[in-house]
Amino acid sequence: MGKWADGAGTLTVPGGAAVPLEVAASYRARRRGLLGRDRVAGALLIVRTNSVHTFGMRFAIDVAYLDRSFRVLSVVTMRPGRLGMVRPRGRHVLEAEAGALAGWGVRAGVRVRVDLTGDPGRGGLTEDPTPGA
């Protein structure tokens, strides 16, 4: 598996549209997440985490917990001021505005694809996490 870095890319759901994606890999970017924003264009992928909170958030979000192969373990909607449960098998978290994930077809059991823009090794994953999929 490649090394992660902050950056941008595209989230693709089987049978769904491509969605703009922001990758939060550094400690600072992961800690900040969506705090202080009024909305998010597309989705935010927070790597190397299995739990999130919405303390200080200004809007409700959908949260998809992903395993190491980018298969969705569960999807929940969280209002501001909540603490999400830890998902022991979770490796990454995908966040979007409330209702967006269902509209894109993101649900438990689906394997999403992350394609990164820019140079290999910059802005996310350097390898395809879903070989043969």
Side-chain angles (χ1 to χ4, degrees):
M1 183 93 31
K3 182 176 172 140
W4 288 99
D6 296 340
T10 304
L11 173 74
T12 306
V13 182
V19 177
L21 182 70
E22 180 181 337
V23 177
S26 69
Y27 175 77
R28 175 181 251 174
R30 291 178 334 154
R31 185 166 171 82
R32 175 165 176 157
L34 296 174
L35 295 176
R37 300 187 197 188
D38 291 323
R39 61 182 309 271
V40 58
L44 173 69
L45 176 67
I46 304 174
V47 300
R48 297 183 312 264
T49 192
N50 61 2
S51 179
V52 295
H53 68 82
T54 58
F55 298 117
M57 295 283 297
R58 297 178 180 168
F59 57 95
I61 60 172
D62 283 345
V63 177
Y65 295 90
L66 310 174
D67 68 10
R68 68 183 64 214
S69 67
F70 290 79
R71 186 171 306 278
V72 178
L73 300 172
S74 65
V75 178
V76 297
T77 300
M78 294 177 63
R79 295 183 314 203
R82 302 288 188 245
L83 178 63
M85 292 180 56
V86 173
R87 300 299 195 275
R89 290 185 6 232
R91 294 296 180 267
H92 312 290
V93 172
L94 188 64
E95 297 180 346
E97 289 187 28
L101 294 182
W104 299 333
V106 176
R107 64 185 181 288
V110 169
R111 184 179 286 181
V112 297
R113 180 180 171 93
V114 174
D115 295 305
L116 303 165
T117 57
D119 299 330
R122 301 276 312 148
L125 193 63
T126 60
E127 298 175 3
D128 182 355
T130 56

